[in-house]
Amino acid sequence: MKTAVVLFTRDLRLHDHPALAAATTNAEHVVPLFVLDPALLGRSANRDRFLHQALADLRDGLKERGANLVVRRGDTVAETIAVARQVEADGIALSHDVTRFATRRQDRLRAEAERHRMSLRLFPGVTVLAPGEVRPGGGGTNYRVFSPYFRAWEAARWRDEVAAPRNVALPAGAEKLGIALPEPPEGESPHAAAGGETEGRRRLRNWLHRIDAYDDQHDAMADDDTSRLSAYLRFGCLSPLAVAEAARRKGGPGAAAFVRQLCWRDFYYQVTAGFQDIARVPMRPAGDRNWRYDDAHALEAWQTGHTGIPIVDAGMRQLRAEGWMHNRARLITAALLTKHLRLDWRAGQDWFFRWLIDGDVPNNSGNWQWVAGTGNDTRPHRRFNPIRQAQRYDPEGDYVRRYVPELAGIPGADVHMPWRLDDFKGLDYPPPLESHGDEAVWLR
């Protein structure tokens, strides 16, 4: 093959990039391409900023290898075909993805490539194990329950990692086909993580030194003993396979527990591959009923972190400040919205999509459906009592005080139920919202 185009999408890295590795091995010239598609931009200022930072880092890495990142703006399929035709490419390579948008994009790209007599090849790289690599017995296309999927996933043979290319040879004139990469736009969260493979790999190295405590400490909200790699996995700044393999090599209970969490990520990708309406349509319709749509005040209070439930407000304020939220806080805040306030999970999902840098359809939507009782939870009616959760996972109240300064002067676990204090009316903090679930007793 003389010339190949590698279309980057959610795989913004050079290390363990099967599509890029195959192209640089089999083609004389390679055009690394990214298209700033208006259909995907503007949904989250935090993700747009992270994306542009990651693209700048990818561009720098390619320059070190003798190439550059060609950036275009417009419809991804139209711009990719235009570039491929201009460089007389023989084929196009990209990483396979599973959302409805990605699948339609792949189908359109294949049709256009065939029309112009080019090949299109899809590669793994977005997950550890490609969706469909393991399937349930009985002819099912995807697993609906995590535990059997985890056993199959863990026993499967994973593909081999591939090295970053040493050199990438651009065809003559290819750099002139792109636009200058815009400066990163302003995000909404002042303390958001910076994007890019370089930063992601640095964080991974640091995380591997701390991973031993993960099994015991990952739910300790104040200690924050989690990897914080989710955004780098979401944008593909880190290879999920490389992260899982690094943890496996480290070994021990902490690493094993972390790898299990990576499997949860893969689980929802294969769920989404089989159910692409996951962001709007309940997987278990029986649970998608009796939502309240007449309480804009409660929704706004939840969004802004003024529910009067300190552990919930701390999580929601962390989300706005950092573009990230501790996983235990995600469960607690989502449960309050759906199981106690009885507000539609889609409203919560959409709010998370706005702020979360790691927000993607498979995991954000899949987890919201799990908490709401409309998804893959085998116990769809389970409830999270936020006060009990706070007392268990933030026993001294340090997480709450970190993000809810109005309560910073309340010592110890008293911070979780400030309405019981004699001087509560003197605090600049609201009373708790009314619960519409079955456990209103936790507010008394």
Side-chain angles (χ1 to χ4, degrees), residues 134-336:
V134 293
R135 297 177 184 271
T141 58
N142 63 281
Y143 285 85
R144 298 186 179 186
V145 179
F146 175 75
S147 294
Y149 175 74
F150 176 61
R151 290 191 291 270
W153 182 87
E154 198 171 37
R157 186 189 183 281
W158 296 354
R159 66 173 176 83
D160 295 329
E161 292 180 57
V162 295
R166 294 183 178 180
N167 299 287
V168 180
L170 276 173
E175 288 187 76
K176 298 179 181 179
L177 300 178
I179 63 172
L181 178 64
E183 289 296 313
E186 290 292 328
E188 291 188 288
S189 296
H191 305 298
E197 180 179 16
T198 301
E199 176 64 13
R201 287 171 65 83
R202 183 192 70 81
R203 287 177 177 241
L204 175 59
R205 289 192 297 270
N206 290 341
W207 168 240
L208 292 173
H209 290 302
R210 301 187 291 115
I211 199 171
D212 289 345
Y214 183 76
D215 189 29
D216 295 327
Q217 293 292 108
H218 69 277
D219 275 326
M221 299 172 73
D223 295 342
D224 199 11
D225 281 327
T226 63
S227 72
R228 290 203 180 220
L229 297 178
S230 55
Y232 301 92
L233 293 167
R234 183 256 184 265
F235 281 94
C237 301
L238 290 175
S239 156
L241 175 72
V243 173
E245 290 284 23
R248 273 186 166 183
R249 288 192 294 270
K250 179 73 173 179
F258 178 67
V259 169
R260 183 181 174 88
Q261 292 302 310
L262 291 173
C263 182
W264 269 108
R265 180 178 183 274
D266 275 18
F267 173 74
Y268 279 121
Y269 272 79
Q270 60 93 44
V271 167
T272 302
F275 188 77
Q276 293 189 325
D277 290 325
I278 191 172
R280 306 315 308 176
V281 179
M283 288 180 277
R284 197 181 67 84
D288 197 48
R289 60 182 61 172
N290 300 323
W291 301 121
R292 299 169 55 243
Y293 297 100
D294 59 350
D295 197 342
H297 167 70
L299 178 60
E300 183 181 5
W302 178 85
Q303 290 172 334
T304 59
H306 290 87
T307 67
I309 316 295
I311 194 69
V312 172
D313 294 343
M316 298 306 294
R317 296 187 195 188
Q318 180 183 30
L319 173 66
R320 291 165 66 99
E322 301 175 11
W324 183 88
M325 192 196 299
H326 192 285
N327 186 62
R328 178 56 54 175
R330 299 188 196 202
L331 293 174
I332 296 170
T333 56
L336 183 91

Side-chain angles (χ1 to χ4, degrees), residues 62-127:
L62 287 165
K63 285 183 176 180
E64 292 174 0
R65 290 161 174 80
N68 205 338
L69 180 66
V70 175
V71 178
R72 303 272 287 206
R73 186 185 299 276
D75 174 72
T76 300
V77 173
E79 296 301 322
T80 301
I81 293 297
V83 169
R85 293 186 68 190
Q86 287 174 294
V87 299
E88 299 181 348
D90 303 290
I92 301 167
L94 77 156
S95 299
H96 178 257
D97 205 347
V98 299
T99 65
R100 181 175 296 283
F101 183 91
T103 300
R104 287 175 174 172
R105 180 178 60 196
Q106 288 161 184
D107 291 344
R108 290 177 55 219
L109 191 55
R110 186 178 300 282
E112 286 298 301
E114 291 176 354
R115 191 165 72 88
H116 293 285
R117 297 185 178 182
M118 304 174 200
S119 65
L120 175 69
R121 187 176 172 190
L122 303 180
F123 289 83
V126 173
T127 53

